[in-house]
PDB file of all heavy atoms in Angstrom:
ATOM      1  N   PHE A 185     -53.123  33.764 -22.480  1.00 98.00           N
ATOM      2  CA  PHE A 185     -52.804  32.352 -22.242  1.00 98.00           C
ATOM      3  C   PHE A 185     -53.994  31.457 -22.584  1.00 98.00           C
ATOM      4  O   PHE A 185     -53.850  30.430 -23.268  1.00 98.00           O
ATOM      5  CB  PHE A 185     -52.387  32.152 -20.786  1.00 98.00           C
ATOM      6  CG  PHE A 185     -52.259  30.714 -20.378  1.00 98.00           C
ATOM      7  CD1 PHE A 185     -51.173  29.955 -20.792  1.00 98.00           C
ATOM      8  CD2 PHE A 185     -53.227  30.109 -19.581  1.00 98.00           C
ATOM      9  CE1 PHE A 185     -51.056  28.618 -20.420  1.00 98.00           C
ATOM     10  CE2 PHE A 185     -53.125  28.785 -19.215  1.00 98.00           C
ATOM     11  CZ  PHE A 185     -52.031  28.024 -19.633  1.00 98.00           C
ATOM     12  N   LYS A 186     -55.175  31.851 -22.129  1.00 98.00           N
ATOM     13  CA  LYS A 186     -56.373  31.055 -22.389  1.00 98.00           C
ATOM     14  C   LYS A 186     -56.727  31.019 -23.876  1.00 98.00           C
ATOM     15  O   LYS A 186     -57.358  30.075 -24.348  1.00 98.00           O
ATOM     16  CB  LYS A 186     -57.537  31.590 -21.567  1.00 98.00           C
ATOM     17  CG  LYS A 186     -57.378  31.319 -20.074  1.00 98.00           C
ATOM     18  CD  LYS A 186     -58.434  32.035 -19.235  1.00 98.00           C
ATOM     19  CE  LYS A 186     -58.170  31.820 -17.744  1.00 98.00           C
ATOM     20  NZ  LYS A 186     -59.112  32.613 -16.894  1.00 98.00           N
ATOM     21  N   ALA A 187     -56.296  32.056 -24.611  1.00 98.00           N
ATOM     22  CA  ALA A 187     -56.543  32.102 -26.053  1.00 98.00           C
ATOM     23  C   ALA A 187     -55.483  31.341 -26.839  1.00 98.00           C
ATOM     24  O   ALA A 187     -55.584  31.233 -28.060  1.00 98.00           O
ATOM     25  CB  ALA A 187     -56.592  33.552 -26.524  1.00 98.00           C
ATOM     26  N   GLY A 188     -54.465  30.824 -26.137  1.00 98.00           N
ATOM     27  CA  GLY A 188     -53.462  29.991 -26.795  1.00 98.00           C
ATOM     28  C   GLY A 188     -52.091  30.593 -26.967  1.00 98.00           C
ATOM     29  O   GLY A 188     -51.199  29.968 -27.547  1.00 98.00           O
ATOM     30  N   VAL A 189     -51.861  31.817 -26.469  1.00 98.00           N
ATOM     31  CA  VAL A 189     -50.531  32.428 -26.572  1.00 98.00           C
ATOM     32  C   VAL A 189     -49.574  31.688 -25.644  1.00 98.00           C
ATOM     33  O   VAL A 189     -49.832  31.552 -24.446  1.00 98.00           O
ATOM     34  CB  VAL A 189     -50.581  33.925 -26.191  1.00 98.00           C
ATOM     35  CG1 VAL A 189     -49.179  34.523 -26.156  1.00 98.00           C
ATOM     36  CG2 VAL A 189     -51.464  34.696 -27.171  1.00 98.00           C
ATOM     37  N   ASN A 190     -48.453  31.214 -26.192  1.00 98.00           N
ATOM     38  CA  ASN A 190     -47.514  30.448 -25.357  1.00 98.00           C
ATOM     39  C   ASN A 190     -46.095  31.016 -25.375  1.00 98.00           C
ATOM     40  O   ASN A 190     -45.159  30.374 -24.920  1.00 98.00           O
ATOM     41  CB  ASN A 190     -47.499  28.972 -25.758  1.00 98.00           C
ATOM     42  CG  ASN A 190     -46.873  28.708 -27.126  1.00 98.00           C
ATOM     43  OD1 ASN A 190     -46.392  29.623 -27.803  1.00 98.00           O
ATOM     44  ND2 ASN A 190     -46.880  27.445 -27.542  1.00 98.00           N
ATOM     45  N   TYR A 191     -45.929  32.245 -25.902  1.00 98.00           N
ATOM     46  CA  TYR A 191     -44.602  32.861 -25.979  1.00 98.00           C
ATOM     47  C   TYR A 191     -44.666  34.240 -25.317  1.00 98.00           C
ATOM     48  O   TYR A 191     -45.442  35.106 -25.743  1.00 98.00           O
ATOM     49  CB  TYR A 191     -44.180  33.002 -27.442  1.00 98.00           C
ATOM     50  CG  TYR A 191     -42.729  33.392 -27.656  1.00 98.00           C
ATOM     51  CD1 TYR A 191     -41.753  32.414 -27.867  1.00 98.00           C
ATOM     52  CD2 TYR A 191     -42.326  34.725 -27.659  1.00 98.00           C
ATOM     53  CE1 TYR A 191     -40.425  32.759 -28.079  1.00 98.00           C
ATOM     54  CE2 TYR A 191     -41.005  35.076 -27.858  1.00 98.00           C
ATOM     55  CZ  TYR A 191     -40.058  34.094 -28.068  1.00 98.00           C
ATOM     56  OH  TYR A 191     -38.741  34.435 -28.274  1.00 98.00           O
ATOM     57  N   TYR A 192     -43.834  34.439 -24.264  1.00 98.00           N
ATOM     58  CA  TYR A 192     -43.858  35.673 -23.475  1.00 98.00           C
ATOM     59  C   TYR A 192     -42.449  36.254 -23.426  1.00 98.00           C
ATOM     60  O   TYR A 192     -41.524  35.616 -22.917  1.00 98.00           O
ATOM     61  CB  TYR A 192     -44.409  35.390 -22.078  1.00 98.00           C
ATOM     62  CG  TYR A 192     -45.853  34.936 -22.129  1.00 98.00           C
ATOM     63  CD1 TYR A 192     -46.182  33.619 -22.459  1.00 98.00           C
ATOM     64  CD2 TYR A 192     -46.896  35.837 -21.921  1.00 98.00           C
ATOM     65  CE1 TYR A 192     -47.501  33.199 -22.565  1.00 98.00           C
ATOM     66  CE2 TYR A 192     -48.223  35.428 -22.017  1.00 98.00           C
ATOM     67  CZ  TYR A 192     -48.512  34.115 -22.346  1.00 98.00           C
ATOM     68  OH  TYR A 192     -49.821  33.721 -22.454  1.00 98.00           O
ATOM     69  N   ASP A 193     -42.301  37.470 -23.935  1.00 98.00           N
ATOM     70  CA  ASP A 193     -40.987  38.075 -24.133  1.00 98.00           C
ATOM     71  C   ASP A 193     -40.754  39.236 -23.163  1.00 98.00           C
ATOM     72  O   ASP A 193     -41.567  40.155 -23.056  1.00 98.00           O
ATOM     73  CB  ASP A 193     -40.901  38.599 -25.575  1.00 98.00           C
ATOM     74  CG  ASP A 193     -39.643  39.406 -25.821  1.00 98.00           C
ATOM     75  OD1 ASP A 193     -39.666  40.641 -25.621  1.00 98.00           O
ATOM     76  OD2 ASP A 193     -38.634  38.806 -26.221  1.00 98.00           O
ATOM     77  N   THR A 194     -39.631  39.193 -22.468  1.00 98.00           N
ATOM     78  CA  THR A 194     -39.251  40.269 -21.557  1.00 98.00           C
ATOM     79  C   THR A 194     -37.751  40.505 -21.697  1.00 98.00           C
ATOM     80  O   THR A 194     -37.108  39.981 -22.605  1.00 98.00           O
ATOM     81  CB  THR A 194     -39.661  39.913 -20.112  1.00 98.00           C
ATOM     82  OG1 THR A 194     -39.332  41.002 -19.246  1.00 98.00           O
ATOM     83  CG2 THR A 194     -38.983  38.646 -19.611  1.00 98.00           C
ATOM     84  N   ALA A 195     -37.187  41.327 -20.815  1.00 97.00           N
ATOM     85  CA  ALA A 195     -35.751  41.609 -20.875  1.00 97.00           C
ATOM     86  C   ALA A 195     -35.284  42.193 -19.556  1.00 97.00           C
ATOM     87  O   ALA A 195     -36.067  42.748 -18.795  1.00 97.00           O
ATOM     88  CB  ALA A 195     -35.431  42.577 -22.018  1.00 97.00           C
ATOM     89  N   TYR A 196     -33.995  42.088 -19.319  1.00 95.00           N
ATOM     90  CA  TYR A 196     -33.392  42.571 -18.071  1.00 95.00           C
ATOM     91  C   TYR A 196     -33.667  44.051 -17.853  1.00 95.00           C
ATOM     92  O   TYR A 196     -33.926  44.484 -16.722  1.00 95.00           O
ATOM     93  CB  TYR A 196     -31.882  42.325 -18.112  1.00 95.00           C
ATOM     94  CG  TYR A 196     -31.162  42.748 -16.852  1.00 95.00           C
ATOM     95  CD1 TYR A 196     -31.111  41.893 -15.753  1.00 95.00           C
ATOM     96  CD2 TYR A 196     -30.559  44.001 -16.752  1.00 95.00           C
ATOM     97  CE1 TYR A 196     -30.459  42.279 -14.582  1.00 95.00           C
ATOM     98  CE2 TYR A 196     -29.910  44.393 -15.597  1.00 95.00           C
ATOM     99  CZ  TYR A 196     -29.864  43.527 -14.509  1.00 95.00           C
ATOM    100  OH  TYR A 196     -29.225  43.917 -13.357  1.00 95.00           O
ATOM    101  N   ILE A 197     -33.628  44.842 -18.925  1.00 92.00           N
ATOM    102  CA  ILE A 197     -33.736  46.300 -18.754  1.00 92.00           C
ATOM    103  C   ILE A 197     -35.159  46.828 -18.852  1.00 92.00           C
ATOM    104  O   ILE A 197     -35.365  48.042 -18.766  1.00 92.00           O
ATOM    105  CB  ILE A 197     -32.853  47.048 -19.767  1.00 92.00           C
ATOM    106  CG1 ILE A 197     -33.327  46.797 -21.203  1.00 92.00           C
ATOM    107  CG2 ILE A 197     -31.401  46.702 -19.584  1.00 92.00           C
ATOM    108  CD1 ILE A 197     -32.730  47.773 -22.207  1.00 92.00           C
ATOM    109  N   TYR A 198     -36.159  45.973 -19.036  1.00 94.00           N
ATOM    110  CA  TYR A 198     -37.540  46.458 -19.008  1.00 94.00           C
ATOM    111  C   TYR A 198     -37.938  46.608 -17.540  1.00 94.00           C
ATOM    112  O   TYR A 198     -38.118  45.603 -16.842  1.00 94.00           O
ATOM    113  CB  TYR A 198     -38.497  45.479 -19.685  1.00 94.00           C
ATOM    114  CG  TYR A 198     -38.219  45.174 -21.137  1.00 94.00           C
ATOM    115  CD1 TYR A 198     -38.839  44.108 -21.766  1.00 94.00           C
ATOM    116  CD2 TYR A 198     -37.350  45.964 -21.901  1.00 94.00           C
ATOM    117  CE1 TYR A 198     -38.603  43.815 -23.102  1.00 94.00           C
ATOM    118  CE2 TYR A 198     -37.108  45.677 -23.220  1.00 94.00           C
ATOM    119  CZ  TYR A 198     -37.737  44.596 -23.820  1.00 94.00           C
ATOM    120  OH  TYR A 198     -37.498  44.310 -25.143  1.00 94.00           O
ATOM    121  N   PRO A 199     -38.096  47.832 -17.042  1.00 93.00           N
ATOM    122  CA  PRO A 199     -38.295  48.045 -15.600  1.00 93.00           C
ATOM    123  C   PRO A 199     -39.463  47.255 -15.015  1.00 93.00           C
ATOM    124  O   PRO A 199     -40.619  47.448 -15.402  1.00 93.00           O
ATOM    125  CB  PRO A 199     -38.555  49.554 -15.510  1.00 93.00           C
ATOM    126  CG  PRO A 199     -37.886  50.128 -16.712  1.00 93.00           C
ATOM    127  CD  PRO A 199     -38.074  49.102 -17.792  1.00 93.00           C
ATOM    128  N   GLY A 200     -39.144  46.340 -14.100  1.00 95.00           N
ATOM    129  CA  GLY A 200     -40.162  45.574 -13.394  1.00 95.00           C
ATOM    130  C   GLY A 200     -40.798  44.442 -14.189  1.00 95.00           C
ATOM    131  O   GLY A 200     -41.590  43.664 -13.638  1.00 95.00           O
ATOM    132  N   SER A 201     -40.455  44.324 -15.455  1.00 97.00           N
ATOM    133  CA  SER A 201     -41.152  43.375 -16.337  1.00 97.00           C
ATOM    134  C   SER A 201     -40.888  41.918 -15.979  1.00 97.00           C
ATOM    135  O   SER A 201     -41.818  41.110 -15.867  1.00 97.00           O
ATOM    136  CB  SER A 201     -40.751  43.633 -17.796  1.00 97.00           C
ATOM    137  OG  SER A 201     -41.327  42.666 -18.651  1.00 97.00           O
ATOM    138  N   GLU A 202     -39.604  41.563 -15.810  1.00 98.00           N
ATOM    139  CA  GLU A 202     -39.285  40.174 -15.494  1.00 98.00           C
ATOM    140  C   GLU A 202     -39.935  39.747 -14.177  1.00 98.00           C
ATOM    141  O   GLU A 202     -40.522  38.661 -14.078  1.00 98.00           O
ATOM    142  CB  GLU A 202     -37.764  39.972 -15.417  1.00 98.00           C
ATOM    143  CG  GLU A 202     -37.075  40.026 -16.763  1.00 98.00           C
ATOM    144  CD  GLU A 202     -35.567  39.883 -16.649  1.00 98.00           C
ATOM    145  OE1 GLU A 202     -34.979  40.380 -15.659  1.00 98.00           O
ATOM    146  OE2 GLU A 202     -34.969  39.267 -17.543  1.00 98.00           O
ATOM    147  N   ALA A 203     -39.849  40.606 -13.166  1.00 98.00           N
ATOM    148  CA  ALA A 203     -40.423  40.281 -11.855  1.00 98.00           C
ATOM    149  C   ALA A 203     -41.937  40.141 -11.935  1.00 98.00           C
ATOM    150  O   ALA A 203     -42.534  39.236 -11.325  1.00 98.00           O
ATOM    151  CB  ALA A 203     -40.044  41.349 -10.832  1.00 98.00           C
ATOM    152  N   ALA A 204     -42.581  41.016 -12.696  1.00 98.00           N
ATOM    153  CA  ALA A 204     -44.036  40.945 -12.835  1.00 98.00           C
ATOM    154  C   ALA A 204     -44.453  39.670 -13.549  1.00 98.00           C
ATOM    155  O   ALA A 204     -45.386  38.971 -13.120  1.00 98.00           O
ATOM    156  CB  ALA A 204     -44.552  42.172 -13.595  1.00 98.00           C
ATOM    157  N   LEU A 205     -43.763  39.349 -14.626  1.00 98.00           N
ATOM    158  CA  LEU A 205     -44.084  38.132 -15.363  1.00 98.00           C
ATOM    159  C   LEU A 205     -43.867  36.906 -14.486  1.00 98.00           C
ATOM    160  O   LEU A 205     -44.712  36.001 -14.447  1.00 98.00           O
ATOM    161  CB  LEU A 205     -43.230  38.037 -16.627  1.00 98.00           C
ATOM    162  CG  LEU A 205     -43.463  36.799 -17.494  1.00 98.00           C
ATOM    163  CD1 LEU A 205     -44.890  36.754 -18.029  1.00 98.00           C
ATOM    164  CD2 LEU A 205     -42.454  36.761 -18.660  1.00 98.00           C
ATOM    165  N   GLY A 206     -42.748  36.877 -13.758  1.00 98.00           N
ATOM    166  CA  GLY A 206     -42.471  35.747 -12.881  1.00 98.00           C
ATOM    167  C   GLY A 206     -43.537  35.557 -11.828  1.00 98.00           C
ATOM    168  O   GLY A 206     -43.970  34.433 -11.548  1.00 98.00           O
ATOM    169  N   GLU A 207     -43.984  36.652 -11.231  1.00 98.00           N
ATOM    170  CA  GLU A 207     -45.020  36.579 -10.197  1.00 98.00           C
ATOM    171  C   GLU A 207     -46.338  36.055 -10.772  1.00 98.00           C
ATOM    172  O   GLU A 207     -46.992  35.189 -10.172  1.00 98.00           O
ATOM    173  CB  GLU A 207     -45.238  37.964  -9.588  1.00 98.00           C
ATOM    174  CG  GLU A 207     -46.307  38.001  -8.496  1.00 98.00           C
ATOM    175  CD  GLU A 207     -46.481  39.378  -7.879  1.00 98.00           C
ATOM    176  OE1 GLU A 207     -45.549  40.208  -7.997  1.00 98.00           O
ATOM    177  OE2 GLU A 207     -47.552  39.631  -7.283  1.00 98.00           O
ATOM    178  N   ILE A 208     -46.715  36.556 -11.930  1.00 98.00           N
ATOM    179  CA  ILE A 208     -47.980  36.143 -12.547  1.00 98.00           C
ATOM    180  C   ILE A 208     -47.947  34.680 -12.962  1.00 98.00           C
ATOM    181  O   ILE A 208     -48.901  33.927 -12.732  1.00 98.00           O
ATOM    182  CB  ILE A 208     -48.294  37.050 -13.756  1.00 98.00           C
ATOM    183  CG1 ILE A 208     -48.601  38.473 -13.279  1.00 98.00           C
ATOM    184  CG2 ILE A 208     -49.462  36.496 -14.568  1.00 98.00           C
ATOM    185  CD1 ILE A 208     -48.607  39.511 -14.388  1.00 98.00           C
ATOM    186  N   VAL A 209     -46.842  34.279 -13.550  1.00 98.00           N
ATOM    187  CA  VAL A 209     -46.713  32.885 -14.000  1.00 98.00           C
ATOM    188  C   VAL A 209     -46.741  31.928 -12.813  1.00 98.00           C
ATOM    189  O   VAL A 209     -47.433  30.898 -12.843  1.00 98.00           O
ATOM    190  CB  VAL A 209     -45.413  32.717 -14.819  1.00 98.00           C
ATOM    191  CG1 VAL A 209     -45.106  31.240 -15.056  1.00 98.00           C
ATOM    192  CG2 VAL A 209     -45.534  33.443 -16.159  1.00 98.00           C
ATOM    193  N   GLU A 210     -46.003  32.255 -11.745  1.00 98.00           N
ATOM    194  CA  GLU A 210     -45.975  31.396 -10.560  1.00 98.00           C
ATOM    195  C   GLU A 210     -47.341  31.338  -9.893  1.00 98.00           C
ATOM    196  O   GLU A 210     -47.816  30.262  -9.509  1.00 98.00           O
ATOM    197  CB  GLU A 210     -44.936  31.924  -9.574  1.00 98.00           C
ATOM    198  CG  GLU A 210     -44.801  31.064  -8.328  1.00 98.00           C
ATOM    199  CD  GLU A 210     -43.778  31.628  -7.359  1.00 98.00           C
ATOM    200  OE1 GLU A 210     -44.032  32.725  -6.807  1.00 98.00           O
ATOM    201  OE2 GLU A 210     -42.726  30.995  -7.158  1.00 98.00           O
ATOM    202  N   ARG A 211     -47.992  32.487  -9.770  1.00 97.00           N
ATOM    203  CA  ARG A 211     -49.285  32.556  -9.101  1.00 97.00           C
ATOM    204  C   ARG A 211     -50.333  31.688  -9.805  1.00 97.00           C
ATOM    205  O   ARG A 211     -51.212  31.107  -9.166  1.00 97.00           O
ATOM    206  CB  ARG A 211     -49.756  34.010  -9.066  1.00 97.00           C
ATOM    207  CG  ARG A 211     -51.048  34.232  -8.283  1.00 97.00           C
ATOM    208  CD  ARG A 211     -51.506  35.681  -8.431  1.00 97.00           C
ATOM    209  NE  ARG A 211     -50.543  36.613  -7.864  1.00 97.00           N
ATOM    210  CZ  ARG A 211     -50.615  37.931  -8.026  1.00 97.00           C
ATOM    211  NH1 ARG A 211     -51.577  38.473  -8.762  1.00 97.00           N
ATOM    212  NH2 ARG A 211     -49.716  38.720  -7.455  1.00 97.00           N
ATOM    213  N   ASN A 212     -50.224  31.596 -11.116  1.00 98.00           N
ATOM    214  CA  ASN A 212     -51.227  30.851 -11.886  1.00 98.00           C
ATOM    215  C   ASN A 212     -50.779  29.450 -12.282  1.00 98.00           C
ATOM    216  O   ASN A 212     -51.526  28.731 -12.955  1.00 98.00           O
ATOM    217  CB  ASN A 212     -51.605  31.652 -13.136  1.00 98.00           C
ATOM    218  CG  ASN A 212     -52.424  32.881 -12.797  1.00 98.00           C
ATOM    219  OD1 ASN A 212     -53.640  32.809 -12.654  1.00 98.00           O
ATOM    220  ND2 ASN A 212     -51.757  34.028 -12.646  1.00 98.00           N
ATOM    221  N   GLY A 213     -49.578  29.058 -11.876  1.00 98.00           N
ATOM    222  CA  GLY A 213     -49.105  27.696 -12.113  1.00 98.00           C
ATOM    223  C   GLY A 213     -49.005  27.307 -13.570  1.00 98.00           C
ATOM    224  O   GLY A 213     -49.326  26.169 -13.940  1.00 98.00           O
ATOM    225  N   ILE A 214     -48.509  28.228 -14.415  1.00 98.00           N
ATOM    226  CA  ILE A 214     -48.478  27.940 -15.848  1.00 98.00           C
ATOM    227  C   ILE A 214     -47.060  27.854 -16.423  1.00 98.00           C
ATOM    228  O   ILE A 214     -46.884  27.826 -17.646  1.00 98.00           O
ATOM    229  CB  ILE A 214     -49.282  28.997 -16.637  1.00 98.00           C
ATOM    230  CG1 ILE A 214     -48.686  30.403 -16.419  1.00 98.00           C
ATOM    231  CG2 ILE A 214     -50.757  28.969 -16.241  1.00 98.00           C
ATOM    232  CD1 ILE A 214     -49.307  31.477 -17.324  1.00 98.00           C
TER     233      ILE A 214
END
């Protein structure tokens, strides 16, 4: 994110991926 990446790809069937991304994004307010 700090290097400028603004596209984050996940999917329903990636185990734990959506929840992990959601937690990280919310925690960092981005």
Side-chain angles (χ1 to χ4, degrees):
F185 170 75
K186 290 171 184 175
V189 174
N190 69 2
Y191 191 94
Y192 296 79
D193 172 270
T194 182
Y196 182 84
I197 64 165
Y198 300 167
S201 175
E202 288 178 325
L205 180 62
E207 180 178 340
I208 292 167
V209 168
E210 182 181 66
R211 185 186 297 170
N212 289 275
I214 60 172

